[in-house]
Amino acid sequence: MKCIYCNSEDELTSSDIITYAITGAKLTKSFVCKTHNAFTNDNYEKKFVADLDFFRNQLGLTTRDGKTIQYRADISVDGTEIHNVKLSNRESLYAPKDVVAGTDNDGNKILMAPMEKLKKISKGKATSVNMSDVVVHKTVGSNDFIGFHAIHSMAKMAYEWYCYINSIEEYKEEYQEIVDYILGKTEQEVVDIIIDNYYYWAIDQLSEIGTNSFFQYDDLDGYRYVVIDFWKTIAYRIRICKSPNDCLKKVRALPVTLYLYHIDGSKTQQVFGVVLLEKNKQAYFKTICPQNMTADIWGIFTSRIGKIMSTMVLSIHILKREVKNLSDKLDKYNAGKIDVTALLGFEENNIVTTIDILSQLYLNKDKYDMTKTFNQNLPIVLSLHSDTIGRTQEDKKKFIQLLVDKDKDNELSEYIWNGINFFDEIYKNEMNLPK
Ligand SMILES: [Zn+2]
């Protein structure tokens, strides 16, 4: 085995083919030397990942040692905009362990903390704010997704994945263009953004929020490409080398194997067809250069990215983690240590969604088929059409009101426990199902 960037046989280290911080599904191979592993990490991936902290937190990804990812966002509190506030969840805003700091529109520092704590720090200058309607917002900058660090990270992942999947264990001349690009020796762009409606229609049927999908194919222009569909938001097409198959040029349809790497750590494959719908086309997919991104097209991507914020990926493992979190909180609630607002994580999306799912599961428990997997049961039990659950803000508000009413009637604890107990049955059953 040699380094796929320089053919060095010394100090080969394990490379995270898919940047560890953007996936639950690890994919590694020791075919990159220490120097080049550090090069891509220091020059592209660290910055790329840091820009995505907010979304990584929303997807439930964690740091390497399992901690919640902190992120920066803007918040509106009581009519004041506070920028660049460091948070880990809504709770860190409402019941902060430390002082929450940000800046106002004029760049002045703003501190938020419980009044007693703040009085000491500010020597009486603090004023109270109404926390009942706090909005956390995040501006989705195109630079985070298609800027220099992002597209170079994509090129690196595409090349390493290509070598991995095709058992390539050394650098060859045919990869000079992509390798030079990754090593910063050329500005010649090798990364495009797919803007094809048919493509996004197809991937929407096959993938789910948070999943990274990869496939390779030969296009009509005579080049071989890898496509990375990132979190079901944006698809990058990376030119790897000249296509070794000249005969493929006239083919109107080609089967493609899609490799899906999911947030919960699982890996699956799907075969799908790429079809040329119009004659005389030069490529299977419509693409643009990242530099030519327009506000209109970016608007479409923003709404795809926005789905991360209102969606929870449903797998038995993710739900298990959320249920554990919830039952810890419920113990405190039952012991009178926290109230209903804290129990609901100050309306944290994942907590409210988890209670929502648990109650639906319990309500439809007769429909649950224990001979089938959790994900096979979901469409029937929850009337869903995919493996994600998204609710409108209005639905969420109504549901929270229902929970608050149950709290007043002393029925909330039992309501949630019923769901948790049934979920535990489902989980045990799932672990015993034949694989
Ligand atoms: Zn090397």
Side-chain angles (χ1 to χ4, degrees):
M1 193 119 59
K2 295 173 179 173
C3 171
I4 54 171
Y5 293 99
C6 69
N7 274 344
S8 162
E9 289 174 67
D10 301 329
E11 294 195 279
L12 293 180
T13 54
S14 171
S15 178
D16 285 305
I17 295 166
I18 306 176
T19 308
Y20 80 92
I22 62 159
T23 183
K26 305 268 174 283
L27 200 62
T28 58
K29 186 163 175 175
S30 297
F31 58 6
V32 179
C33 75
K34 209 173 157 190
T35 311
H36 286 125
N37 215 345
F39 182 90
T40 52
N41 196 25
D42 295 345
N43 287 290
Y44 314 124
E45 290 172 292
K46 270 186 198 159
K47 182 70 172 53
F48 170 56
V49 165
D51 288 341
L52 298 172
D53 280 349
F54 176 75
F55 301 102
R56 294 170 57 221
N57 175 293
Q58 296 285 316
L59 286 168
L61 291 164
T62 56
T63 61
R64 270 194 205 263
D65 47 6
K67 294 208 177 84
T68 304
I69 292 161
Q70 295 213 319
Y71 59 89
R72 289 182 180 277
D74 296 338
I75 56 176
S76 318
V77 190
D78 209 6
T80 307
E81 274 293 297
I82 309 176
H83 303 286
N84 220 13
V85 182
K86 198 171 183 183
L87 299 167
S88 52
N89 51 32
R90 289 180 71 89
E91 190 157 359
S92 60
L93 198 58
Y94 285 86
K97 292 195 182 84
D98 298 309
V99 176
V100 177
T103 55
D104 68 8
N105 285 331
D106 301 322
N108 301 313
K109 198 165 185 184
I110 293 188
L111 300 177
M112 288 202 320
M115 212 50 200
E116 310 84 71
K117 199 169 188 176
L118 212 50
K119 271 179 186 155
K120 280 183 206 154
I121 306 171
S122 73
K123 299 182 183 101
K125 273 189 255 164
T127 53
S128 63
V129 288
N130 175 10
M131 293 289 285
S132 66
D133 203 13
V134 178
V135 182
V136 177
H137 35 178
K138 180 80 189 169
T139 314
V140 183
S142 63
N143 207 40
D144 298 349
F145 286 82
I146 57 168
F148 177 85
H149 300 103
I151 58 173
H152 279 81
S153 297
M154 289 296 162
K156 174 255 166 190
M157 285 187 258
Y159 175 59
E160 293 194 8
W161 181 82
Y162 181 80
C163 291
Y164 175 82
I165 226 75
N166 297 293
S167 302
I168 294 159
E169 299 182 340
E170 61 181 350
Y171 169 76
K172 293 175 193 169
E173 220 181 284
E174 58 205 88
Y175 307 127
Q176 189 185 345
E177 185 187 50
I178 177 93
V179 166
D180 278 355
Y181 180 77
I182 296 169
L183 299 184
K185 291 180 188 164
T186 171
E187 311 257 294
Q188 180 69 42
E189 279 301 342
V190 298
V191 183
D192 285 329
I193 309 295
I194 295 185
I195 52 165
D196 206 302
N197 290 337
Y198 292 110
Y199 168 82
Y200 287 103
W201 178 83
I203 199 75
D204 283 351
Q205 324 290 313
L206 297 167
S207 187
E208 62 194 52
I209 298 281
T211 292
N212 294 306
S213 313
F214 288 63
F215 67 90
Q216 55 176 328
Y217 79 103
D218 293 309
D219 215 324
L220 303 169
D221 59 4
Y223 284 100
R224 177 161 286 187
Y225 293 93
V226 164
V227 172
I228 302 180
D229 194 90
F230 179 44
W231 288 346
K232 201 180 160 181
T233 59
I234 300 177
Y236 305 78
R237 190 187 70 161
I238 300 98
R239 190 165 66 226
I240 303 292
C241 58
K242 279 233 160 67
S243 163
N245 308 323
D246 284 338
C247 56
L248 268 174
K249 282 190 181 175
K250 294 280 183 288
V251 177
R252 275 198 62 203
L254 68 158
V256 162
T257 305
L258 188 69
Y259 293 78
L260 302 113
Y261 303 93
H262 305 285
I263 278 287
D264 69 354
S266 61
K267 300 168 189 173
T268 56
Q269 289 179 23
Q270 295 249 19
V271 177
F272 77 106
V274 177
V275 183
L276 210 54
L277 291 163
E278 296 153 46
K279 272 187 187 170
N280 304 323
K281 270 183 68 174
Q282 298 301 309
Y284 286 107
F285 303 112
K286 227 186 267 175
T287 61
I288 55 164
C289 278
Q291 301 97 301
N292 296 341
M293 182 61 70
T294 63
D296 281 354
I297 298 173
W298 182 246
I300 298 170
F301 285 125
T302 308
S303 74
R304 292 182 69 82
I305 294 164
K307 287 193 181 137
I308 294 174
M309 274 93 97
S310 56
T311 305
M312 181 172 154
V313 184
L314 285 183
S315 78
I316 191 124
H317 304 291
I318 288 174
L319 202 54
K320 174 79 182 160
R321 186 187 69 201
E322 294 296 330
V323 167
K324 170 81 176 64
N325 196 353
L326 178 64
S327 41
D328 290 349
K329 275 194 160 39
L330 196 57
D331 285 341
K332 287 188 195 154
Y333 169 81
N334 287 336
K337 286 182 192 155
I338 57 171
D339 64 1
V340 64
T341 336
L343 173 66
L344 303 181
F346 303 88
E347 305 183 10
E348 187 84 31
N349 195 39
N350 275 9
I351 296 175
V352 177
T353 309
T354 302
I355 301 175
D356 189 353
I357 295 163
L358 289 177
S359 68
Q360 298 271 357
L361 282 174
Y362 183 70
L363 210 66
N364 296 299
K365 108 193 250 221
D366 297 339
K367 289 190 214 157
Y368 198 96
D369 181 350
M370 289 287 184
T371 65
K372 297 210 168 81
T373 65
F374 179 67
N375 282 69
Q376 284 168 332
N377 269 290
L378 280 184
I380 306 153
V381 180
L382 302 185
S383 316
L384 290 178
H385 302 291
S386 73
D387 293 342
T388 57
I389 183 162
R391 290 272 192 265
T392 63
Q393 285 302 320
E394 210 163 288
D395 287 343
K396 190 179 157 187
K397 275 219 166 94
K398 266 190 211 155
F399 185 65
I400 289 169
Q401 191 53 52
L402 175 117
L403 297 175
V404 170
D405 291 345
K406 286 203 181 293
D407 169 67
K408 280 187 198 132
D409 299 339
N410 279 324
E411 290 170 358
L412 185 60
S413 180
E414 194 191 341
Y415 180 76
I416 298 175
W417 270 125
N418 285 338
I420 292 178
N421 287 333
F422 182 54
F423 176 77
D424 284 342
E425 252 177 73
I426 292 174
Y427 186 79
K428 268 194 212 121
N429 177 69
E430 186 90 1
M431 297 304 116
N432 292 325
L433 281 180
K435 289 267 153 67

